[in-house]
Amino acid sequence: GWGQRFSVEDSRAVISYVASLNGISQVNSAAPPVLTAAELSGRNLFYDAYGELNRCSNCHRLNDKGIQVGPRITKAPVDVAALRNLPPSQVSTAQVDGNAIPVLVVRQLHEELQIYDLSSMPPVLRTFAPGSVTLSSGSGWRHSSAIRGYSDAELESILTFLRSAARP
């Protein structure tokens, strides 16, 4: 939780101090990569602690921050249009109490079904008894519905950050 409030340098200093109290002799003190202004702006938007419920990190985990609801980010889309139109490859439709909702299946066991309900943001983790939900492949859900609060310029900043995060 403090990762959004402390700078990376301050976080490393706190970690080093606490580690020294426990007798841990060596902590990785490699300097973090220096971000350009555009990359920093994109990072701030991706992890936006003040963006209420509409930040990217509500569904995506990157650099050990965020929540892994959606697929792991391995490559940044080529442009804003591609980001808005990402195919919902893992999204299914669940029939729950007569309603069709877009979902990501977390776990399907004999005794329970766990899903992320994508009908609201942030997605809600729900658990159901077997047989109370009917799943079908595919959905009308689109990534654009989750990022509709971002302008094209903000999405371009996020893409710039994602490209920098993918660099070795």
Side-chain angles (χ1 to χ4, degrees), residues 1-2 11 13 38 41 49 52 54 68 73 99 110 118 121 128 131 139 147-148 150 155-157 161:
W2 291 100
S11 294
S41 173
E52 298 180 20
N54 297 321
Q68 191 67 44
I73 298 172
N99 296 312
H110 190 65
L118 301 179
M121 285 294 134
F128 295 94
S139 169
I147 61 173
R148 67 178 164 257
Y150 290 106
L155 290 174
E156 188 58 51
S157 291
F161 166 65

Side-chain angles (χ1 to χ4, degrees), residues 14-134:
V14 170
I15 291 167
S16 293
Y17 173 72
V18 172
S20 72
L21 294 175
N22 291 317
I24 299 172
S25 60
Q26 196 165 8
V27 174
N28 182 2
S29 59
V34 176
L35 300 178
T36 66
E39 293 166 346
L40 183 60
S41 173
R43 183 191 72 183
N44 291 342
L45 287 165
F46 187 92
Y47 296 116
D48 183 12
Y50 304 104
E52 298 180 20
L53 304 176
N54 297 321
R55 61 182 177 248
C56 301
S57 60
N58 278 331
C59 294
H60 300 284
R61 188 168 177 81
L62 186 66
N63 298 335
D64 296 326
K65 291 183 183 178
I67 303 167
Q68 191 67 44
V69 173
R72 183 171 304 282
I73 298 172
T74 57
K75 181 178 154 189
V78 295
D79 58 22
V80 170
L83 179 61
R84 287 193 187 279
N85 296 307
L86 284 173
S89 61
Q90 299 174 356
V91 180
S92 300
T93 299
Q95 290 291 332
V96 180
D97 298 326
N99 296 312
I101 58 173
V103 300
L104 285 171
V105 176
V106 176
R107 180 173 40 218
Q108 190 170 7
L109 302 172
H110 190 65
E111 63 275 355
E112 73 178 13
L113 170 68
Q114 281 190 328
I115 59 169
Y116 275 111
D117 178 347
L118 301 179
S119 64
S120 66
M121 285 294 134
V124 176
L125 181 62
R126 298 174 69 182
T127 303
F128 295 94
S132 65
V133 175
T134 304

